[in-house]
Amino acid sequence: MAPSSTNSSKGDSSGRTLSSLPTPLLTDWSGLTLHKKKEVLNLLYPTCIVRAVVENHDTGAVEAIYFHLVKVKDGTFWGKTLDTYRSDDYIDLPDGKVFAFPMKDVMEVPITRQPKSLRRKLEKYLDTAGMGRAVTGALRWRDYTIRAHGLQIPAFEHHPFRGDEHEPNNPQHTTTMGRGPKKHLKRLAAPSSWMLDKLSGVYAPRPSAGPHKLRESFPIIVFLRNRLKYALNAREVQAIVRQRLIKVDNKVRTDPTYPTGFMDVISIEKSSEHFRLLYDVKGRFTIHRIKPEEATYKLLKVKRVALGMRGVPHVVTHDGRTIRYPDPLVRANDTVKFDLENNKMVDFLKFDVGAMCMVTGGRNIGRVGTIQRRERHLGGHDIIHVKDSRDRTFATRMLNIFVIGDHTKSWISLPKAKGIKLTISEERDARRKTQTDGEKAAPAAAAE
């Protein structure tokens, strides 16, 4: 197809011939039509940016190129080619080359890329009620040309806009706002302390926002359905909690995904059962039944001591509580004994050498022992060395230490293993002994 423009650029020895092609529409970068094309083009001056379609008559390739205007005279634009939307030079017109073309051949005037003094004038010509922002002017020109003239455009492609990181109207580079809190939790991403199997579904109950972090919490639904087996599915758990039968720290909780956590007391008064959430030596939340007398209090680790409004002293604990007017001797990392019935502090334990502690994180989670010494690391994590009842020593970060007793005994009852971690061989011997005892007891029971 012969170019409609009389302007052409004859280049090097290859004898290439380049010319611009006329277009019926003038659009913004977003694809909106600009009315009164001639008036809009007369407003342009050097330093403006426009887009025109250039054809190489030797190869038949067509490309829509952005130009930075360097000269405007007698209805002709001289523009320097830009690399925007160009991944390759299809028409043998390199970047930075000055090319002349008639003013009427301009197909796009990106308003947001123009000088600030010109943007307001150009916005008046936008057809905001017309075509939308689905495609750019380049794509619209290509479709129109193919339909009207039957052009073959083997080399033209629509490439991402390069160099427009600050373009406010570019949908490819706009930053989207956050979409709120996440509402789902994949089963494989659930904490291992819940002991959920992999094949019972895709999702796991996501804990609600509460006093414990997601990775350190234990939803009520998992406790009732997966551990106690009091419900077969989530609907039955809903029926249980809506009857106001479940109490956490002496408060009724009706949210099935309420996040309980370490040291929390779960009470089911209808069955007269009380549980304290503790870790076993493998880092899993264990079902630890306690007596009603022990269910009246819990231990809290002090995370921070501060002064509040009007100089009121208070401590912040590991479960999000704020206790006003604590004992003046209480410091961070100490443990407070909290009365759940009266909601007040009744006693405290100092974080000191010789105190009994339980590890709440790391590879030694769930182990119980006495604090031997504190290894200080300025600018890092202090390391605490602990010895258990079998005289085995281990070390962990101070953040993972939770004091549970004084030099003589623990203030809470401990799970079955008493916080003693066995070696692989010791676990094997214990299993064999249990199996042997069971085999011996079977014949005796049959004889009776």
Side-chain angles (χ1 to χ4, degrees), residues 334-372:
D334 292 350
T335 296
V336 170
K337 185 177 181 181
F338 189 76
D339 187 351
L340 297 175
E341 295 180 351
N342 300 319
N343 288 327
K344 60 174 61 176
M345 184 182 73
V346 294
D347 205 348
F348 67 95
L349 290 166
K350 294 296 294 181
F351 183 90
D352 199 1
V353 173
M356 185 177 294
C357 66
M358 176 177 281
V359 182
T360 60
R363 296 193 57 175
N364 295 299
I365 184 171
R367 298 183 69 172
V368 176
T370 56
I371 299 176
Q372 298 299 303

Side-chain angles (χ1 to χ4, degrees), residues 6-12 15-20 54-55 57 93 97-100:
T6 58
N7 178 61
S8 64
S9 174
K10 294 185 179 180
D12 51 21
R16 66 173 188 178
T17 302
L18 303 177
S19 67
S20 58
V54 182
E55 180 181 13
H57 295 286
L93 184 61
K97 183 76 173 180
V98 176
F99 179 75

